[in-house]
Amino acid sequence: MARHHVTSRDVAERAGVSRTTVSFVLNDVEGTKISDETRQRVLAAAKELGYVPHAAAQVLAGQRTRTIGLAFPRAPHHLPTHFFLLQVMDGLLRVVQQHGLRLLIDSPDDGRSARSYLNLVRAKRIDGLIMLDPRSDDRALRGLAEDGFPLVLIGDLPGGDISSVDVDNRAAARNAVEHLLSCGHRRIACITNAPLSSYTATEERLLGYRDALEAAGIAYDDALVRYGAYTPQSGFNCMTGLLNDVRLLPTAAFVASDVVAFGAMSAIQRRDLRVPEDIALVGFDDVPLARFVNPALTTVRLPATEQGRLAGKLLLELILNQLEVSRRILLDTELIVRASSVPG
Amino acid sequence: MARHHVTSRDVAERAGVSRTTVSFVLNDVEGTKISDETRQRVLAAAKELGYVPHAAAQVLAGQRTRTIGLAFPRAPHHLPTHFFLLQVMDGLLRVVQQHGLRLLIDSPDDGRSARSYLNLVRAKRIDGLIMLDPRSDDRALRGLAEDGFPLVLIGDLPGGDISSVDVDNRAAARNAVEHLLSCGHRRIACITNAPLSSYTATEERLLGYRDALEAAGIAYDDALVRYGAYTPQSGFNCMTGLLNDVRLLPTAAFVASDVVAFGAMSAIQRRDLRVPEDIALVGFDDVPLARFVNPALTTVRLPATEQGRLAGKLLLELILNQLEVSRRILLDTELIVRASSVPG
DNA sequence: ATACCGTACTAACGCGCGTTAGTCAAGGTT
DNA sequence: AACCTTGACTAACGCGCGTTAGTACGGTAT
């Protein structure tokens, strides 16, 4: 079977009409008069032949690609526990499928060449782009937006004027740390979700931590801050480092990522210390496993799926309505208190 | 900026040559004589204009799309904890990037219309397809393979003759249960990773469980088998069900998915029972968090990343070499014994 | 009988590219 | 002097589609 791709010409011949008519019928073109009988003939012929328009030809002939891109930086070892990506995809895929779109993934190494998404745009492969965790030093991204290319960020890029769906990381982190403070903790460590690179979220969460301390009149201590790197192992290592220095020994830790927090929790328990009695723990993200670990993890719930869904809808508006106004959506977070911060 | 897409004609004019020459130079076409001086002029012109070939036009004129598809069924609530997908993507993205390919995601609802991937193929949008967890009742998939369309499965489709990268689920499960038996357990429950649908892995793992029991001369008890559904919550519920019936009370459980096992573990601990002293637990997958939970989870390590990588390479061979022989790769699994099955 | 109009269709172009089948001049052979 | 080569290019076609600018024709209005 399937030797020769069935083209609209084949359909036309079979229906005894011109290719133009086939196109008019199949695309339901407004303002064209086609007799009902002819229309049925064309429809029947198309069905019988199993006609599927050649995507590339459709695109070339000056239509939309009906494809959107999802770009995310790929830091080493990040992907295998990238819950956030999964949840975003979950929300996004729903929108994409609903509108008959296709999703093209672009995930460059987190190196210099981190702009392969540009090629997608330049080669006209996608109608719009959703960018996860944009780098603040990404100039090309701002250029794209200025050129009016449909672009939605999940995360933030300060200073630009780009549509985005984000949360207030700083306030959320502050709130989480204030919870620990209200439990009476004074020596509170911080383990970040990632190295202080060019991603803003990490920095914002760290700032929120400092905000809370400052408001409580507690001096910021550099030695209590450790830099995780996406993985549980990194959290394990950071926490082990903290535990090794007895002078530091915190009574609580704010970990800016649940996945990293799982590692930290493990490190504590390996030392036969208890969570939360010896060290209380608060995470960030509320990944689906947070309530099932032992003890259940107190954390900041992020509306990840919703971010994906909204980013998709927003992008669609940008693509269709050509509305050049950029819209920034800020979603709410919620502190979910569980057993890792308050003793049962 | 960027008003008019820069075409090869623009490059040709700027370099003072024909479009054909531009194409020859940029594509390094064998067997064409282009003077080095001309070549440099073309290269310079292309660079200066920022020329990027129009993807759709290339596809239409040439043959390759330089895009491959990744399809996976999307069961409700599965995606947010779909570690396996992430790891497969991790491996696959590496290959894809290395070869300058693009990845198109297709994830239909797990309903009847689960064959939207067919449209990708028919519309000539992809050169090849990788299918995660194929449904055994998917006739179209076999049809594709028979037509010689490059197709690689991750998971298995019995009876067909399709290239695949898989593990021996049955043997792995049996091995896991034998480990519990060797620890002296006789009443061993089983919680599956998913409902007994049309996915073979679930069934295989259940068969492995039965194999082990049978070999040990233990009668199979239907009441000890519960059906999870991808999520930790489902594991929690299944285990709660087991614990509620005192007559059943197992001393160990084989859970055919780490994620589900996390939920089961949580259910046990909520009852103030201990793992492994009261109930020993073995999972399946060795997700990156398995060693960081409390207690660390004994589990079957799956080479998920490697499956993704190999599937990519295999697909590439099918696309390039046109080798019509289908290859089935079976990778090894490994039982990783941790604290959830053997008391520290 | 002529002009006019709406209905039902179609010829032909262009999207941007890869590629085949050339052209043309310069030098080499018999 | 007539006939190949060979090197360096180019004209032109076709990929499959959407779409613009028509054509043909039966039926009214003048």
Side-chain angles (χ1 to χ4, degrees):
Chain A
M1 305 263 214
R3 68 233 130 242
H4 176 60
H5 186 87
V6 177
T7 74
S8 68
R9 163 169 290 106
D10 299 331
V11 177
E13 278 173 12
R14 179 166 188 118
V17 298
S18 71
R19 270 195 48 248
T20 307
T21 301
V22 172
S23 177
F24 283 168
V25 169
L26 296 184
N27 296 332
D28 264 331
V29 177
E30 307 269 337
T32 20
K33 299 292 166 191
I34 306 280
S35 73
D36 203 57
E37 187 223 315
T38 303
R39 178 179 305 274
Q40 296 309 327
R41 262 212 327 281
V42 170
L43 257 21
K47 181 151 294 178
E48 285 161 22
L49 295 175
Y51 171 63
V52 177
H54 192 298
Q58 278 184 311
V59 172
L60 189 57
Q63 296 280 83
R64 300 286 93 73
T65 66
R66 298 198 67 69
T67 302
I68 66 176
L70 172 63
F72 51 89
R74 194 149 51 91
H77 307 114
H78 188 188
L79 203 46
T81 53
H82 203 326
F83 282 99
F84 191 70
L85 172 63
L86 280 180
Q87 290 176 269
V88 165
M89 278 178 59
D90 195 24
L92 184 56
L93 279 172
R94 230 167 288 166
V95 179
V96 155
Q97 178 173 321
Q98 208 168 15
H99 294 263
L101 300 176
R102 295 295 177 180
L103 221 211
L104 200 55
I105 294 292
D106 181 67
S107 175
D109 283 334
D110 193 12
R112 315 164 301 87
S113 73
R115 298 194 319 223
S116 64
Y117 67 85
L118 266 184
N119 197 66
L120 290 183
V121 177
R122 297 273 140 83
K124 300 251 188 298
R125 257 183 126 109
I126 54 176
D127 295 335
L129 178 68
I130 291 179
M131 182 81 170
L132 211 57
D133 294 333
R135 295 182 59 102
S136 52
D137 59 353
D138 195 334
R139 299 190 54 68
L141 214 46
R142 292 213 182 76
L144 265 193
E146 280 162 17
D147 285 359
F149 184 82
L151 172 63
V152 173
L153 308 180
I154 295 182
D156 198 27
L157 197 59
D161 184 34
I162 310 181
S163 294
S164 62
V165 180
D166 201 9
V167 299
D168 188 340
N169 281 287
R170 185 167 181 167
R174 173 176 177 156
N175 190 30
V177 175
E178 280 172 346
H179 163 66
L180 287 172
L181 287 165
S182 79
C183 292
H185 295 285
R186 309 296 290 172
R187 289 195 63 75
I188 303 175
C190 177
I191 299 177
T192 68
N193 58 326
L196 261 195
S197 57
S198 312
Y199 304 105
T200 55
T202 301
E203 196 177 355
E204 291 291 314
R205 292 175 196 177
L206 185 52
L207 286 173
Y209 164 76
R210 299 186 66 153
D211 289 347
L213 292 190
E214 190 172 342
I218 298 178
Y220 171 79
D221 182 355
D222 223 14
L224 283 174
V225 176
R226 304 289 159 124
Y227 294 89
Y230 310 108
T231 63
Q233 184 66 58
S234 74
F236 189 96
N237 296 345
C238 288
M239 182 54 79
T240 300
L242 285 167
L243 299 179
N244 277 343
D245 193 338
V246 197
R247 295 164 310 178
L248 297 175
L249 208 65
T251 66
F254 165 62
V255 187
S257 150
D258 284 356
V259 169
V260 176
F262 293 150
M265 185 183 287
S266 175
I268 295 169
Q269 293 166 335
R270 271 324 138 85
R271 293 276 181 128
D272 283 323
L273 296 174
R274 290 160 308 160
V275 178
E277 292 82 356
D278 297 312
I279 298 185
L281 231 37
V282 174
F284 206 103
D285 287 344
D286 196 26
V287 301
L289 294 181
R291 32 185 303 244
F292 293 100
V293 295
N294 178 29
L297 187 64
T298 294
T299 187
V300 176
R301 174 170 297 167
L302 252 41
T305 306
E306 190 65 5
Q307 283 180 262
R309 206 182 61 81
L310 285 177
K313 297 205 101 170
L314 194 48
L315 188 62
L316 240 77
E317 285 180 24
L318 287 174
I319 291 172
L320 297 179
N321 299 8
Q322 310 282 34
L323 44 107
E324 304 233 345
V325 294
S326 74
R327 246 180 93 200
R328 299 175 159 248
I329 300 179
L330 212 60
L331 296 177
D332 286 333
T333 62
E334 184 187 359
L335 183 71
I336 310 289
V337 178
R338 301 203 182 95
S340 76
S341 66
V342 295
Chain B
M1 306 262 210
R3 67 240 128 234
H4 177 60
H5 186 84
V6 177
T7 73
S8 68
R9 164 169 288 106
D10 299 331
V11 177
E13 279 173 11
R14 180 165 185 119
V17 297
S18 72
R19 268 193 51 247
T20 307
T21 301
V22 171
S23 177
F24 283 169
V25 169
L26 295 183
N27 295 333
D28 265 332
V29 177
E30 307 271 338
T32 21
K33 300 291 165 188
I34 306 281
S35 73
D36 203 57
E37 188 223 314
T38 304
R39 178 179 304 273
Q40 295 308 326
R41 265 212 326 281
V42 170
L43 256 22
K47 182 151 294 177
E48 285 161 24
L49 294 176
Y51 171 64
V52 177
H54 192 297
Q58 278 185 310
V59 171
L60 190 57
Q63 300 298 358
R64 300 281 95 76
T65 65
R66 300 199 66 70
T67 303
I68 66 177
L70 172 64
F72 50 89
R74 195 147 52 89
H77 307 114
H78 188 188
L79 204 45
T81 54
H82 203 326
F83 282 100
F84 190 70
L85 173 63
L86 279 181
Q87 291 177 269
V88 165
M89 278 180 58
D90 195 24
L92 183 56
L93 280 171
R94 231 167 285 166
V95 178
V96 155
Q97 179 173 320
Q98 210 169 13
H99 293 264
L101 300 176
R102 296 296 177 181
L103 220 212
L104 200 54
I105 294 292
D106 181 67
S107 175
D109 283 335
D110 193 14
R112 311 168 302 87
S113 73
R115 300 194 317 220
S116 64
Y117 67 85
L118 265 184
N119 198 66
L120 289 184
V121 176
R122 297 273 140 82
K124 299 253 189 296
R125 257 183 125 113
I126 53 177
D127 295 335
L129 177 69
I130 291 178
M131 183 80 170
L132 210 58
D133 292 334
R135 295 182 59 102
S136 52
D137 59 352
D138 195 334
R139 299 190 53 68
L141 214 46
R142 292 214 182 75
L144 265 193
E146 279 163 16
D147 285 358
F149 184 81
L151 172 62
V152 174
L153 309 180
I154 295 183
D156 198 28
L157 196 61
D161 184 33
I162 312 180
S163 294
S164 63
V165 180
D166 201 8
V167 298
D168 187 340
N169 282 286
R170 185 166 180 171
R174 172 175 178 159
N175 189 30
V177 176
E178 280 172 347
H179 162 67
L180 288 172
L181 288 165
S182 78
C183 293
H185 295 285
R186 308 295 291 172
R187 288 195 65 76
I188 303 175
C190 177
I191 300 178
T192 68
N193 59 326
L196 263 196
S197 56
S198 313
Y199 305 104
T200 55
T202 301
E203 197 178 354
E204 291 291 313
R205 293 176 194 176
L206 185 53
L207 285 173
Y209 163 77
R210 299 185 67 154
D211 289 347
L213 292 191
E214 190 172 342
I218 298 178
Y220 170 80
D221 183 354
D222 222 15
L224 283 174
V225 176
R226 305 289 159 124
Y227 294 88
Y230 310 108
T231 63
Q233 184 66 57
S234 74
F236 188 97
N237 296 344
C238 287
M239 182 54 79
T240 300
L242 285 167
L243 299 179
N244 276 343
D245 193 338
V246 199
R247 295 164 306 177
L248 298 176
L249 208 65
T251 66
F254 164 63
V255 188
S257 149
D258 284 356
V259 168
V260 176
F262 293 150
M265 185 185 286
S266 175
I268 296 169
Q269 293 166 336
R270 273 321 142 82
R271 294 278 179 123
D272 283 324
L273 296 174
R274 290 160 308 158
V275 177
E277 291 82 355
D278 297 311
I279 298 186
L281 231 38
V282 174
F284 206 103
D285 286 345
D286 195 25
V287 301
L289 293 180
R291 31 185 303 242
F292 294 100
V293 296
N294 178 29
L297 187 65
T298 294
T299 187
V300 175
R301 176 170 296 167
L302 251 40
T305 306
E306 190 64 6
Q307 283 180 262
R309 205 181 62 79
L310 285 177
K313 299 204 98 171
L314 194 50
L315 187 62
L316 240 77
E317 283 179 26
L318 287 174
I319 292 174
L320 297 178
N321 299 8
Q322 311 280 36
L323 45 106
E324 306 234 342
V325 292
S326 74
R327 247 180 92 200
R328 300 175 159 248
I329 300 179
L330 213 59
L331 295 176
D332 285 334
T333 61
E334 185 187 359
L335 182 71
I336 310 289
V337 177
R338 300 203 182 96
S340 75
S341 66
V342 294

